[in-house]
């Protein structure tokens, strides 16, 4: 009976979505028949690893997003509506993700899912969100799965996809470590596979490759195998906890190659906290970013986010996860402004596809009707003195055979009040 009731609820909600679509196309209705939207409120939800193997660092993202929404709410909201952000802990467990997303959609009746985190976790809710016509905005992962506008018209990425990132990181390795034995350790899902695909587009087959699963926090066998293979450069497609495990485990067996790390697993503050006394092992680690670095206190976006963090996030220790969370929130507010006061689910999707958004990114986002991926490139970083600093200029590329090219334009400055205008 419980399963039957759940299916019936999903069907009824899908029918409501169809009704809403009709009112949107006719230009009427406003938010009156749109789930999660009233004259005074917009309710959105997310799934995040507040606990579990990916909680290190990532648990700070959603509170930072909420803090920026609270800042916007305190300044009048968007088109007279305040944003309510419901944050559900899934522990980075795909089974939990399905449960909490169903609750957000069927019970809490959120307007959209915003920045749900994780490749293995979010992959399992794509069809459910599509069936229920729920906008699936700015997924916190670089999987290419989010960029399928024909199959999943309501899903959009945020991070540069992992193949784009792999190509950019590999271009650096090819230039700076020519002739060295390059190897790979990645998560055993689309994160690892997409990253490796990008790397091998530039470098050809790596000398050795290993994978891990987040349910097993022992990478001793993998690091031992990479050491035995004589790897001189190890490229990591790892979440922060496993970045720290790989570097720390390597050091324990006398294996200290040049590590080159995916952006999603490279926040220095998170890694240093995880490594503890072994934090100096991070010196010289190469990664990449597409948002301003938290330690650049002269950057106007960092100044804005620091102010918001102080006022609305209990003055949490600033790191790049907070920068990320607030950047997601800023983009969502931009999209709400663009969608207008007559807010519908179809309308928010059309607003994202219209594109043209500017913000803190070092490269532009790529949204259009044909492209639902997020940022189109990154800039290399290295850790010196425990802090990340940029190397060279940002790069842009695609997830195919396109060239990795320098991007010259400077990022936009934030508005004076820190809130995007309509």
């Amino acid at each position: 009976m419980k399963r039957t009731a759940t299916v019936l609820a999903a069907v009824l909600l899908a029918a409501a979505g169809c009704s809403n679509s009709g009112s949107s196309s006719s230009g009427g209705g406003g938010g009156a028949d749109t789930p999660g939207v009233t004259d005074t409120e917009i309710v959105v939800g997310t799934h995040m690893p507040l606990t579990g193997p990916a909680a290190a660092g990532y648990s700070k993202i959603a509170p930072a997003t909420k803090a920026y929404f609270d800042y916007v709410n305190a300044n009048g909201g968007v088109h007279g509506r305040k944003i309510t952000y419901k944050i559900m802990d899934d522990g980075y467990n795909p089974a939990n993700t399905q449960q909490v997303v169903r609750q957000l959609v069927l019970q809490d009746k959120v307007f959209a899912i915003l920045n749900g985190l994780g490749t293995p976790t979010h992959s399992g809710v794509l069809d459910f969100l599509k069936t229920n016509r729920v906008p699936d905005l700015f997924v916190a992962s670089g999987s290419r799965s989010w960029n399928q506008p024909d199959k999943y018209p309501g899903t959009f990425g945020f991070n540069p996809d992992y193949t784009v990132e792999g190509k950019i990181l590999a271009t650096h390795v090819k230039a700076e470590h020519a002739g060295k034995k390059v190897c790979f350790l990645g998560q055993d899902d689309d994160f690892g596979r997409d990253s490796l695909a990008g790397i091998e587009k530039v470098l050809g087959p790596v000398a050795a490759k290993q994978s891990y699963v987040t349910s097993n926090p022992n990478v001793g066998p993998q690091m031992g195998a990479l050491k035995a293979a004589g790897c001189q450069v190890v490229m990591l497609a790892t979440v922060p906890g496993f970045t720290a495990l790989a570097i720390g485990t390597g050091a324990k067996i006398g294996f200290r190659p040049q590590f080159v790390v995916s952006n999603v697993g490279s926040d220095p503050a998170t890694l240093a906290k995880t490594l503890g006394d072994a934090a100096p092992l991070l010196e010289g680690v190469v990664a990449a970013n597409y948002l301003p670095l938290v330690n650049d206190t002269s950057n106007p976006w960092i100044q804005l986010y620091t102010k918001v963090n102080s006022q609305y996030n209990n003055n949490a220790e600033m790191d790049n996860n907070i920068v990320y969370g607030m950047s997601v929130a800023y983009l969502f507010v931009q999209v709400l402004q663009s969608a207008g006061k007559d807010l519908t689910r179809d309308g928010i999707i059309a607003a994202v596809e219209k594109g043209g958004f500017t913000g803190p990114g070092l490269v532009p986002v790529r949204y259009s009707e044909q492209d639902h991926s997020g940022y189109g490139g990154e800039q290399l970083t290295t850790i010196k003195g425990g802090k990340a600093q940029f190397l060279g200029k940002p790069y842009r590329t695609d997830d195919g055979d396109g060239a990795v090219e320098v991007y010259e334009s400077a990022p936009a400055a934030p508005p004076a009040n820190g809130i995007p205008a309509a």
Side-chain angles (χ1 to χ4, degrees), residues 42 96 118 154 175 186 189 195 204 238 264 272 295 319 335 344 347 367-368 379:
I42 305 163
N96 293 345
D189 55 28
S195 296
T238 45
V264 301
N295 48 286
D319 64 14
V335 172
T344 65
Y367 303 125
S368 69
Q379 186 169 353

Side-chain angles (χ1 to χ4, degrees), residues 64 91 94 168 221 226 293 380 402:
I168 291 171
L226 295 177
L293 295 174
L380 293 162

